[in-house]
Amino acid sequence: RLQIIDPSRPTTPLRVISQCGNHTLKHPFFMFVDPSSDNIFVANNERSFVEVLSKDGHYIRSIGTGQGSSPGQLCYPSGVCLHSSNSILVTDTGNHRLCLFTQDGEFLTEYGKLPQDNKPYDVACTRSGRVMFTDLNSHNVHLF
């Protein structure tokens, strides 16, 4: 579940979210807030989607077309961040890849070519476009 906290009342959740449209949040992993819209992007790991919520926690849409390995499909995503191109970069952990989507959820491309023994976990991007991800298998941080 996801909890939204009001800074003026930090001990009481403003809203607790466990449902996103037709998807239950199951093992939500990393998330970020888009500074231009205040939308919340959450990697819904076991449901294989990235959920997009309003700043108040209301469901907007899902990114990904379901579990699988085809373009646009995700398999146990864990990390998600805003790319310098204003696109969404997702660690598609189960498929050993990074995927780039528009903010509306359209699949753009795989980002970089990763060896099959890589298991990307979390991802970050600098303003200049440099991408880095943590790797569960090698215990390294990879930089592009």
Side-chain angles (χ1 to χ4, degrees):
R1 69 184 186 178
L2 173 69
Q3 296 186 50
I4 297 178
I5 307 291
D6 180 346
S8 65
R9 297 179 15 215
T11 58
T12 306
L14 183 65
R15 183 172 171 93
V16 177
I17 301 159
S18 59
Q19 189 73 26
C20 293
N22 295 328
H23 310 131
T24 303
L25 279 177
K26 188 156 185 192
H27 293 128
F29 277 31
F30 297 101
M31 64 182 193
F32 78 93
V33 176
D34 178 354
S36 66
S37 65
D38 281 343
N39 286 343
I40 305 162
F41 292 75
V42 182
N44 194 357
N45 182 265
E46 287 202 22
R47 297 292 185 223
S48 293
F49 291 96
V50 171
E51 310 296 359
V52 184
L53 309 169
S54 70
K55 66 181 177 183
D56 299 319
H58 298 285
Y59 174 78
I60 297 174
R61 71 182 148 277
S62 296
I63 293 176
T65 58
Q67 188 170 2
S69 59
S70 296
Q73 292 182 318
L74 298 169
C75 184
Y76 302 111
S78 55
V80 60
C81 76
L82 183 64
H83 187 267
S84 60
S85 65
N86 208 33
S87 301
I88 307 304
L89 192 56
V90 180
T91 55
D92 188 7
T93 305
N95 287 318
H96 309 275
R97 64 185 182 183
L98 303 176
C99 294
L100 197 62
F101 292 87
T102 67
Q103 290 213 16
D104 292 328
E106 178 187 339
F107 175 78
L108 295 172
T109 189
E110 285 184 37
Y111 192 93
K113 293 294 178 191
L114 307 180
Q116 203 56 18
D117 61 342
N118 285 103
K119 193 167 186 180
Y121 186 60
D122 196 16
V123 65
C125 186
T126 66
R127 285 185 290 208
S128 65
R130 189 129 196 224
V131 171
M132 58 216 74
F133 70 92
T134 56
D135 185 339
L136 286 176
N137 283 351
S138 70
H139 309 283
N140 291 321
V141 174
H142 297 264
L143 304 173
F144 284 96

